[in-house]
Amino acid sequence: MLALSTVQRTPHWPEAERLCAAHRYAGARVVCFTAVPFSTVGEARTVTRLAHERGWDSVVVVTSTFHVTRADLLFRRCFHGRLSVVGSGSTWWKLPEEWLSETGKLIVQVTVRRGC
């Protein structure tokens, strides 16, 4: 099973749009969803709900490398099965801005917002 998040809100991702339209990839089923709220917490909650409904006991989250730490924290708060979080490449010239933004968001999650 391949679950893709927020394809409709991610510009310039034609491959994901094709996968969502076909509902299949390399023999696997594809499910596409828009998280509510539109955030990493929303994605963690939605994946947890999907896992419960579909009987998944393990999840692999693929996200940008700069986002791995916070995604891991948030998904572990919500999903209680086997979890792996894997980073994919980022555009190098965007990294300083992404790192700064991600650091601020991580501080909020560690200090203020502590639940799923």
Side-chain angles (χ1 to χ4, degrees):
M1 172 67 67
L2 173 62
L4 296 173
S5 175
T6 62
V7 171
Q8 304 86 344
R9 296 185 73 165
T10 306
H12 312 295
W13 198 11
E15 180 64 22
E17 292 172 4
R18 283 192 295 277
L19 292 172
C20 291
H23 303 286
R24 307 277 312 158
Y25 175 72
R29 288 179 290 155
V30 175
V31 61
C32 298
F33 65 92
T34 299
V36 177
F38 178 62
S39 65
T40 306
V41 171
E43 289 175 323
R45 290 174 183 163
T46 302
V47 167
T48 298
R49 180 181 51 77
L50 288 170
H52 178 73
E53 291 171 359
R54 296 164 187 248
W56 303 343
D57 60 359
S58 64
V59 170
V60 176
V61 175
V62 179
T63 189
S64 300
T65 302
F66 69 86
H67 187 237
V68 166
T69 301
R70 189 167 62 92
D72 186 77
L73 172 75
L74 296 175
F75 273 81
R76 287 191 190 285
R77 287 179 179 174
C78 297
F79 180 72
H80 301 294
R82 288 189 318 257
L83 176 70
S84 296
V85 180
V86 179
S88 67
S90 299
T91 307
W92 69 268
W93 53 270
K94 289 184 177 180
L95 286 175
E97 177 185 342
E98 290 168 340
W99 180 83
L100 185 61
S101 172
E102 196 61 26
T103 300
K105 292 174 184 178
L106 181 60
I107 290 169
V108 169
Q109 291 299 326
V110 170
T111 59
V112 178
R113 298 185 182 153
R114 303 188 52 97
C116 172

PDB file of all heavy atoms in Angstrom, residues 12-27:
ATOM      1  N   HIS A  12       3.572  20.780  -9.140  1.00  0.00           N
ATOM      2  CA  HIS A  12       4.636  20.175  -9.934  1.00  0.00           C
ATOM      3  C   HIS A  12       4.991  18.760  -9.483  1.00  0.00           C
ATOM      4  O   HIS A  12       6.148  18.410  -9.349  1.00  0.00           O
ATOM      5  CB  HIS A  12       5.897  21.051  -9.937  1.00  0.00           C
ATOM      6  CG  HIS A  12       5.612  22.476 -10.241  1.00  0.00           C
ATOM      7  ND1 HIS A  12       5.111  22.900 -11.470  1.00  0.00           N
ATOM      8  CD2 HIS A  12       5.718  23.588  -9.491  1.00  0.00           C
ATOM      9  CE1 HIS A  12       4.940  24.190 -11.438  1.00  0.00           C
ATOM     10  NE2 HIS A  12       5.300  24.646 -10.263  1.00  0.00           N
ATOM     11  N   TRP A  13       3.975  17.947  -9.207  1.00  0.00           N
ATOM     12  CA  TRP A  13       4.206  16.562  -8.834  1.00  0.00           C
ATOM     13  C   TRP A  13       3.339  15.669  -9.716  1.00  0.00           C
ATOM     14  O   TRP A  13       2.438  14.979  -9.240  1.00  0.00           O
ATOM     15  CB  TRP A  13       3.893  16.358  -7.359  1.00  0.00           C
ATOM     16  CG  TRP A  13       4.472  15.126  -6.753  1.00  0.00           C
ATOM     17  CD1 TRP A  13       5.401  14.282  -7.289  1.00  0.00           C
ATOM     18  CD2 TRP A  13       4.141  14.588  -5.468  1.00  0.00           C
ATOM     19  NE1 TRP A  13       5.680  13.259  -6.427  1.00  0.00           N
ATOM     20  CE2 TRP A  13       4.925  13.418  -5.299  1.00  0.00           C
ATOM     21  CE3 TRP A  13       3.287  14.974  -4.454  1.00  0.00           C
ATOM     22  CZ2 TRP A  13       4.856  12.640  -4.150  1.00  0.00           C
ATOM     23  CZ3 TRP A  13       3.222  14.205  -3.326  1.00  0.00           C
ATOM     24  CH2 TRP A  13       4.002  13.052  -3.164  1.00  0.00           C
ATOM     25  N   PRO A  14       3.604  15.676 -11.028  1.00  0.00           N
ATOM     26  CA  PRO A  14       2.747  14.934 -11.959  1.00  0.00           C
ATOM     27  C   PRO A  14       2.754  13.426 -11.733  1.00  0.00           C
ATOM     28  O   PRO A  14       1.738  12.772 -11.949  1.00  0.00           O
ATOM     29  CB  PRO A  14       3.309  15.300 -13.338  1.00  0.00           C
ATOM     30  CG  PRO A  14       4.674  15.822 -13.091  1.00  0.00           C
ATOM     31  CD  PRO A  14       4.676  16.397 -11.700  1.00  0.00           C
ATOM     32  N   GLU A  15       3.870  12.873 -11.287  1.00  0.00           N
ATOM     33  CA  GLU A  15       3.909  11.428 -11.038  1.00  0.00           C
ATOM     34  C   GLU A  15       2.922  11.031  -9.938  1.00  0.00           C
ATOM     35  O   GLU A  15       2.212  10.039 -10.061  1.00  0.00           O
ATOM     36  CB  GLU A  15       5.327  10.978 -10.658  1.00  0.00           C
ATOM     37  CG  GLU A  15       5.443   9.496 -10.378  1.00  0.00           C
ATOM     38  CD  GLU A  15       5.147   8.613 -11.586  1.00  0.00           C
ATOM     39  OE1 GLU A  15       5.241   9.078 -12.729  1.00  0.00           O
ATOM     40  OE2 GLU A  15       4.816   7.430 -11.376  1.00  0.00           O
ATOM     41  N   ALA A  16       2.868  11.803  -8.884  1.00  0.00           N
ATOM     42  CA  ALA A  16       1.916  11.508  -7.810  1.00  0.00           C
ATOM     43  C   ALA A  16       0.480  11.650  -8.308  1.00  0.00           C
ATOM     44  O   ALA A  16      -0.381  10.845  -7.951  1.00  0.00           O
ATOM     45  CB  ALA A  16       2.163  12.432  -6.621  1.00  0.00           C
ATOM     46  N   GLU A  17       0.238  12.648  -9.124  1.00  0.00           N
ATOM     47  CA  GLU A  17      -1.111  12.813  -9.683  1.00  0.00           C
ATOM     48  C   GLU A  17      -1.501  11.591 -10.507  1.00  0.00           C
ATOM     49  O   GLU A  17      -2.642  11.111 -10.423  1.00  0.00           O
ATOM     50  CB  GLU A  17      -1.182  14.080 -10.527  1.00  0.00           C
ATOM     51  CG  GLU A  17      -1.067  15.350  -9.696  1.00  0.00           C
ATOM     52  CD  GLU A  17      -0.933  16.606 -10.547  1.00  0.00           C
ATOM     53  OE1 GLU A  17      -0.997  16.520 -11.804  1.00  0.00           O
ATOM     54  OE2 GLU A  17      -0.753  17.680  -9.952  1.00  0.00           O
ATOM     55  N   ARG A  18      -0.577  11.061 -11.290  1.00  0.00           N
ATOM     56  CA  ARG A  18      -0.856   9.860 -12.081  1.00  0.00           C
ATOM     57  C   ARG A  18      -1.122   8.656 -11.181  1.00  0.00           C
ATOM     58  O   ARG A  18      -2.027   7.860 -11.426  1.00  0.00           O
ATOM     59  CB  ARG A  18       0.307   9.554 -13.032  1.00  0.00           C
ATOM     60  CG  ARG A  18       0.337  10.458 -14.253  1.00  0.00           C
ATOM     61  CD  ARG A  18       1.319   9.955 -15.306  1.00  0.00           C
ATOM     62  NE  ARG A  18       2.710   9.978 -14.884  1.00  0.00           N
ATOM     63  CZ  ARG A  18       3.493  11.052 -14.935  1.00  0.00           C
ATOM     64  NH1 ARG A  18       3.028  12.198 -15.387  1.00  0.00           N
ATOM     65  NH2 ARG A  18       4.745  10.986 -14.541  1.00  0.00           N
ATOM     66  N   LEU A  19      -0.319   8.509 -10.126  1.00  0.00           N
ATOM     67  CA  LEU A  19      -0.510   7.391  -9.200  1.00  0.00           C
ATOM     68  C   LEU A  19      -1.870   7.471  -8.516  1.00  0.00           C
ATOM     69  O   LEU A  19      -2.558   6.457  -8.361  1.00  0.00           O
ATOM     70  CB  LEU A  19       0.600   7.373  -8.148  1.00  0.00           C
ATOM     71  CG  LEU A  19       1.995   7.043  -8.643  1.00  0.00           C
ATOM     72  CD1 LEU A  19       3.015   7.256  -7.537  1.00  0.00           C
ATOM     73  CD2 LEU A  19       2.064   5.627  -9.173  1.00  0.00           C
ATOM     74  N   CYS A  20      -2.255   8.661  -8.117  1.00  0.00           N
ATOM     75  CA  CYS A  20      -3.549   8.836  -7.450  1.00  0.00           C
ATOM     76  C   CYS A  20      -4.704   8.543  -8.399  1.00  0.00           C
ATOM     77  O   CYS A  20      -5.716   7.972  -7.998  1.00  0.00           O
ATOM     78  CB  CYS A  20      -3.670  10.243  -6.877  1.00  0.00           C
ATOM     79  SG  CYS A  20      -2.569  10.531  -5.477  1.00  0.00           S
ATOM     80  N   ALA A  21      -4.553   8.909  -9.640  1.00  0.00           N
ATOM     81  CA  ALA A  21      -5.610   8.651 -10.625  1.00  0.00           C
ATOM     82  C   ALA A  21      -5.715   7.156 -10.930  1.00  0.00           C
ATOM     83  O   ALA A  21      -6.819   6.630 -11.110  1.00  0.00           O
ATOM     84  CB  ALA A  21      -5.342   9.437 -11.902  1.00  0.00           C
ATOM     85  N   ALA A  22      -4.581   6.450 -10.968  1.00  0.00           N
ATOM     86  CA  ALA A  22      -4.567   5.030 -11.311  1.00  0.00           C
ATOM     87  C   ALA A  22      -4.893   4.134 -10.116  1.00  0.00           C
ATOM     88  O   ALA A  22      -5.333   2.999 -10.292  1.00  0.00           O
ATOM     89  CB  ALA A  22      -3.198   4.640 -11.878  1.00  0.00           C
ATOM     90  N   HIS A  23      -4.644   4.611  -8.916  1.00  0.00           N
ATOM     91  CA  HIS A  23      -4.854   3.848  -7.670  1.00  0.00           C
ATOM     92  C   HIS A  23      -3.988   2.590  -7.590  1.00  0.00           C
ATOM     93  O   HIS A  23      -4.263   1.703  -6.794  1.00  0.00           O
ATOM     94  CB  HIS A  23      -6.330   3.481  -7.475  1.00  0.00           C
ATOM     95  CG  HIS A  23      -7.243   4.657  -7.465  1.00  0.00           C
ATOM     96  ND1 HIS A  23      -7.314   5.512  -6.400  1.00  0.00           N
ATOM     97  CD2 HIS A  23      -8.106   5.114  -8.402  1.00  0.00           C
ATOM     98  CE1 HIS A  23      -8.195   6.463  -6.676  1.00  0.00           C
ATOM     99  NE2 HIS A  23      -8.686   6.251  -7.882  1.00  0.00           N
ATOM    100  N   ARG A  24      -2.957   2.479  -8.442  1.00  0.00           N
ATOM    101  CA  ARG A  24      -2.067   1.320  -8.440  1.00  0.00           C
ATOM    102  C   ARG A  24      -0.656   1.768  -8.796  1.00  0.00           C
ATOM    103  O   ARG A  24      -0.476   2.713  -9.555  1.00  0.00           O
ATOM    104  CB  ARG A  24      -2.479   0.270  -9.486  1.00  0.00           C
ATOM    105  CG  ARG A  24      -3.871  -0.209  -9.460  1.00  0.00           C
ATOM    106  CD  ARG A  24      -4.274  -1.282  -8.521  1.00  0.00           C
ATOM    107  NE  ARG A  24      -3.476  -2.474  -8.422  1.00  0.00           N
ATOM    108  CZ  ARG A  24      -3.515  -3.243  -7.346  1.00  0.00           C
ATOM    109  NH1 ARG A  24      -4.272  -2.920  -6.329  1.00  0.00           N
ATOM    110  NH2 ARG A  24      -2.808  -4.329  -7.272  1.00  0.00           N
ATOM    111  N   TYR A  25       0.339   1.050  -8.235  1.00  0.00           N
ATOM    112  CA  TYR A  25       1.725   1.273  -8.616  1.00  0.00           C
ATOM    113  C   TYR A  25       2.492  -0.026  -8.382  1.00  0.00           C
ATOM    114  O   TYR A  25       2.535  -0.518  -7.244  1.00  0.00           O
ATOM    115  CB  TYR A  25       2.367   2.401  -7.814  1.00  0.00           C
ATOM    116  CG  TYR A  25       3.836   2.569  -8.111  1.00  0.00           C
ATOM    117  CD1 TYR A  25       4.255   3.108  -9.316  1.00  0.00           C
ATOM    118  CD2 TYR A  25       4.790   2.152  -7.205  1.00  0.00           C
ATOM    119  CE1 TYR A  25       5.598   3.243  -9.614  1.00  0.00           C
ATOM    120  CE2 TYR A  25       6.137   2.289  -7.490  1.00  0.00           C
ATOM    121  CZ  TYR A  25       6.533   2.835  -8.691  1.00  0.00           C
ATOM    122  OH  TYR A  25       7.868   2.960  -8.989  1.00  0.00           O
ATOM    123  N   ALA A  26       3.060  -0.562  -9.417  1.00  0.00           N
ATOM    124  CA  ALA A  26       3.893  -1.774  -9.338  1.00  0.00           C
ATOM    125  C   ALA A  26       3.189  -2.882  -8.549  1.00  0.00           C
ATOM    126  O   ALA A  26       3.790  -3.538  -7.709  1.00  0.00           O
ATOM    127  CB  ALA A  26       5.250  -1.438  -8.717  1.00  0.00           C
ATOM    128  N   GLY A  27       1.909  -3.052  -8.793  1.00  0.00           N
ATOM    129  CA  GLY A  27       1.148  -4.098  -8.125  1.00  0.00           C
ATOM    130  C   GLY A  27       0.605  -3.712  -6.759  1.00  0.00           C
ATOM    131  O   GLY A  27      -0.130  -4.476  -6.147  1.00  0.00           O
TER     132      GLY A  27
END
